[in-house]
């Protein structure tokens, strides 16, 4: 499909391009940061990827997440939330805040499991979804209409009010990032401008904010000392730090659980990763060109977990643990589920096929080269020392 296509996706591409070009033209320097470009491409209120009904998540879509592989991911998470509630002395209500709930599949899996297996905890829940995308919020509301939960904007949640757990699954990777480049011994920033034919072109200039330099001080990366090569390019997710500050301000007592793909800083900014981690997802394929399929494709960058840890400490969030998704799910009982499948007595072809499909889905969740390699970061605020010292099951060594 090219930009002359007048179908829905073609029209969105044209209008998204126009909206971004207009923003560039109206800027005094005729350029915007890559973070501003990415924000418009993804979150423009009319034409952004997440603001329209073009978001295509699932096995046949632009990308899929762990909840699309079955209810097991949500059910095991539900077990962890239930233990958190018990560790905290079973407070009522227990605020369970899901940030960026996608299509609502994960919320449904969690609530169904708790209603069936942990009804006392289910009754204590105040399940809140914070969702920026109006299109996804509508989809969530349709799917979850029979469940007791509510939707809020962050501004509607008072400071120092949440008692429970805030959590996200594959959220931070879609935050707009700044792109920086190491040139002639200095850290420069990548901007987006317009070429002679109206196409998007990149230009390099001084950093738009001192926070970019301060970020690398925070995570312990010294470009000059470590002899990064000329033209080394990478990303900085300043919005993730702002997000973390906001959440820390809302939590009175409880946990913050972050699941996403990414690395600690020393791996994220390794000398060999010279072009960063930016990826685009379109119709279940991926590439690294954000200037095509605008408004129709997802744009992501890996998460720097060191930044979340270090900035969290400055915001009053205490680090409790970091593990990989595969280990996290195995510790919560996924191994038992795989064993139960192996003991299946299915004899009919269709039943055998379902068993094999489920086994494959469970293995995908723990595959260290895929979803199983995702990072799982646990932080807390306001917990008593005796609560902190109680190890959460997902962060213990899984039994073989």
């Amino acid at each position: 499909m090219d930009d002359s296509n007048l179908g829905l996706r073609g029209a969105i591409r044209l209008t998204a391009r126009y909206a971004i070009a207009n923003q560039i033209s109206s800027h005094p320097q005729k350029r915007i940061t890559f973070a501003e470009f990415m924000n418009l491409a993804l979150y423009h209120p009319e034409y952004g990827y997440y603001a329209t009904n073009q978001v295509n998540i699932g096995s046949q879509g632009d990308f899929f997440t762990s909840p699309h592989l079955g209810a097991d991911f949500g059910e095991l998470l539900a077990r962890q939330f239930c233990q958190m509630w018990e560790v905290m002395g079973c407070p009522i209500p227990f605020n369970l805040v899901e940030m960026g709930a996608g299509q609502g599949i994960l919320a449904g899996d969690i609530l169904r499991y708790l209603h069936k297996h942990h009804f006392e905890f289910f009754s204590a829940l105040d399940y809140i979804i914070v969702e920026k995308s109006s299109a996804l919020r509508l989809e969530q509301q349709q799917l979850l209409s029979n469940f007791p939960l509510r939707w809020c904007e962050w501004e509607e949640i008072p400071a120092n009010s949440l008692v429970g757990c805030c959590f996200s699954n594959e959220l931070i990777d879609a935050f707009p990032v700044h792109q920086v480049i190491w040139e002639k011994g200095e850290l420069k920033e990548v901007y987006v401008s317009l070429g002679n034919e109206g196409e998007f072109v990149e230009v390099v200039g001084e950093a738009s904010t001192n926070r970019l330099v301060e970020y690398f001080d925070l995570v312990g990366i010294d470009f000059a000392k470590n002899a990064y090569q000329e033209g080394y390019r990478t990303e900085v997710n300043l919005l993730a730090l702002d997000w973390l500050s906001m959440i820390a301000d809302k939590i009175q007592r409880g946990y913050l659980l972050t699941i996403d793909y990414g690395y600690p800083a020393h791996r994220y900014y390794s000398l060999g990763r010279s072009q960063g981690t930016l990826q685009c997802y379109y119709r279940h394929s991926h590439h690294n060109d954000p200037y095509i399929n605008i408004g129709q494709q997802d744009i992501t960058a890996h998460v720097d977990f060191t930044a979340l840890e270090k900035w969290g400490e400055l915001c009053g969030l205490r680090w409790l643990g970091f593990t990989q998704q595969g280990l996290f799910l195995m510790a919560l009982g996924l191994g038992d589920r795989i064993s139960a499948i192996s003991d299946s007595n299915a004899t009919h072809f269709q039943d055998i096929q379902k068993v094999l499909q489920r086994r494959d889905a469970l293995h995908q969740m723990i595959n260290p080269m895929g979803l199983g390699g995702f990072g799982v970061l646990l932080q807390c605020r306001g917990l008593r020392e005796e609560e902190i010292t109680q190890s959460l099951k997902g962060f213990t060594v899984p039994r073989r």
Side-chain angles (χ1 to χ4, degrees), residues 34-35 38 42-43 50 170-180 215 233-238 240 259-263 268-269 273 275-281 287-288 290 298-305 308 374:
F34 184 83
M38 186 171 168
L42 295 180
Y43 300 108
Y50 282 103
E170 294 194 57
L171 172 66
I172 304 175
D173 62 84
F175 284 0
V177 294
H178 292 261
Q179 289 206 322
V180 296
Y215 179 94
R233 177 170 173 153
T234 190
E235 310 91 23
V236 174
N237 194 335
L238 294 181
I259 304 173
D260 221 315
Y261 47 90
Y263 312 104
Y268 196 115
Y269 301 109
R273 188 169 284 110
Q275 295 302 306
T277 69
L278 194 84
Q279 286 287 302
C280 305
Y281 292 87
H287 59 87
N288 60 2
D298 195 17
I299 309 174
T300 76
H302 282 53
V303 174
D304 176 0
F305 282 102
L308 298 185
F374 282 21

Side-chain angles (χ1 to χ4, degrees), residues 36-143:
E36 292 174 282
F37 169 88
M38 186 171 168
N39 184 59
L40 289 168
L42 295 180
Y43 300 108
H44 186 282
E46 292 180 77
Y47 312 122
Y49 177 74
Y50 282 103
T52 69
N53 61 359
Q54 296 301 297
V55 183
N56 192 0
I57 311 174
S59 59
Q60 302 303 314
D62 297 332
F63 60 94
F64 70 91
T65 64
S66 293
H68 291 97
L69 295 172
D72 301 270
F73 182 76
E75 292 175 357
L76 295 173
L77 269 182
R79 288 183 180 180
Q80 185 62 91
F81 297 142
C82 189
Q83 188 197 8
M84 290 175 175
W85 179 61
E86 292 167 350
V87 167
M88 291 177 62
C90 303
I92 300 175
F94 183 92
N95 304 122
L96 189 55
V97 184
E98 183 177 0
M99 302 167 289
Q103 296 161 311
I105 295 171
L106 180 56
D109 292 338
I110 291 170
L111 290 168
R112 265 188 298 271
Y113 182 82
L114 292 177
H115 183 269
K116 183 176 180 179
H117 298 282
H118 300 278
F119 189 75
E120 187 178 1
F121 177 42
F122 176 85
S123 300
L125 274 183
D126 175 24
Y127 200 113
I128 302 169
I129 291 179
V130 178
E131 179 59 63
K132 184 174 182 177
S133 167
S134 56
L136 286 175
R137 190 185 309 119
L138 180 60
E139 196 168 348
Q140 294 159 13
Q141 290 170 343
Q142 292 172 343
L143 181 68

